Amino acid sequence: MKDLSLKSLSWLITGLFLYGIAVAMLVQASLGLAPWNTLASGLVEITGISFGMMTNLIGLVVLLVWIPLRQRPGVGTVLNVLLVGTSAEIGLWLIPQPTELMAQIALFTGGLLLLAAATGIYIAPGLGPGPRDGLMTGLHERTGAPVWLCRAGVEITVLAIGWLLGGMVGIGTVAEALLIGPMVHRTLPFFRTMYAGRVAAEAVAAETRASA
């Protein structure tokens, strides 16, 4: 079990809070959302529940699916369910919805950059995956299918359901799908180095080179 220090918890909570703010920026940009957020926005349309609350509820349902998949949540998993939707709700209250296209693009770009940074920050302490990531790995372990296939299958299904429910799909959906992976590929090692400290990071790098 990872050390639950003040440092690790502060990184985790900060990252999850910023992640929710980034989601709110993407929602307010109105250019399209990633699959799980599209599902949340679609369910908001038919239930009237707030986006933030719906995001938390979806996370909770996904976490319950971990039970038959025999996945074990960490502190980060539970806080993910509680904080991301809550901070997204705060962001939606604070951030105005732009009407000009250039302002929408600027807000979307800022949201995507913040999302990538926030992902690196909350993952760096290693206190447990988010509920959606755990679903992918759980399906992989139970079915033997490649992780990429499990992820693609779940996200395509979620996106289709969200779209049918009236969720927000657009050019931003495609942009986020194409860009977030490469962006997190940059931010995650950067924030892991910051979290671990330069000496620890150099030791890991040296060990990696020695075993190569």
Side-chain angles (χ1 to χ4, degrees), residues 14 43 68 70 78 85 95 101 108 133 139-140 144 146 149 164 170-172 186 199 210:
T14 298
L43 288 170
R70 298 177 186 173
V78 176
I95 302 167
L101 179 59
F108 179 87
D133 292 329
L139 287 171
H140 161 67
L149 183 59
L164 290 172
I171 186 63
R186 297 277 185 170
V199 173

Side-chain angles (χ1 to χ4, degrees), residues 74-96:
V75 173
T77 312
V78 176
L79 288 180
N80 188 300
V81 172
L82 296 174
L83 293 181
V84 170
T86 304
S87 60
E89 198 65 33
I90 294 171
L92 291 172
W93 179 65
L94 291 174
I95 302 167

Side-chain angles (χ1 to χ4, degrees), residues 123-182:
I123 288 178
L127 294 179
R132 297 154 188 82
D133 292 329
L135 175 62
M136 314 302 173
T137 56
L139 287 171
H140 161 67
E141 292 171 5
R142 296 291 288 169
T143 66
V147 173
W148 69 265
L149 183 59
C150 294
R151 186 180 189 94
V154 169
E155 295 205 347
I156 289 171
T157 301
V158 166
L159 179 62
I161 294 172
W163 177 69
L164 290 172
L165 293 176
M168 196 183 301
V169 178
I171 186 63
T173 307
V174 178
E176 188 171 347
L178 293 176
L179 296 175
I180 194 62

Side-chain angles (χ1 to χ4, degrees), residues 5-208:
S5 64
L6 179 61
K7 176 183 176 181
S8 65
L9 285 173
S10 63
W11 271 66
L12 173 66
I13 292 170
T14 298
L16 291 174
F17 181 82
L18 292 176
Y19 192 99
I21 297 298
V23 169
M25 292 171 69
L26 297 174
V27 171
Q28 294 297 68
S30 302
L31 294 177
L33 299 171
W36 287 101
N37 293 327
T38 298
L39 176 62
S41 65
L43 288 170
V44 166
E45 291 295 320
I46 65 172
T47 65
I49 296 174
S50 69
F51 180 86
M53 177 62 72
M54 183 58 69
T55 299
N56 285 347
L57 289 174
I58 290 173
L60 177 60
V61 171
V62 173
L63 189 57
L64 292 176
V65 177
W66 280 32
I67 297 172
L69 295 176
R70 298 177 186 173
Q71 295 294 291
R72 306 182 85 176
V75 173
T77 312
V78 176
L79 288 180
N80 188 300
V81 172
L82 296 174
L83 293 181
V84 170
T86 304
S87 60
E89 198 65 33
I90 294 171
L92 291 172
W93 179 65
L94 291 174
I95 302 167
Q97 190 172 40
T99 55
E100 298 293 330
L101 179 59
M102 291 308 297
Q104 289 177 277
I105 293 173
L107 185 60
F108 179 87
T109 302
L112 201 59
L113 290 170
L114 182 58
L115 192 73
T119 301
I121 294 169
Y122 90 76
I123 288 178
L127 294 179
R132 297 154 188 82
D133 292 329
L135 175 62
M136 314 302 173
T137 56
L139 287 171
H140 161 67
E141 292 171 5
R142 296 291 288 169
T143 66
V147 173
W148 69 265
L149 183 59
C150 294
R151 186 180 189 94
V154 169
E155 295 205 347
I156 289 171
T157 301
V158 166
L159 179 62
I161 294 172
W163 177 69
L164 290 172
L165 293 176
M168 196 183 301
V169 178
I171 186 63
T173 307
V174 178
E176 188 171 347
L178 293 176
L179 296 175
I180 194 62
M183 291 170 71
V184 172
H185 182 71
R186 297 277 185 170
T187 61
L188 184 53
F190 173 78
F191 285 109
R192 275 180 171 160
T193 299
M194 284 187 63
Y195 178 80
R198 184 173 299 277
V199 173
E202 288 176 351
V204 171
E207 182 179 344
T208 302

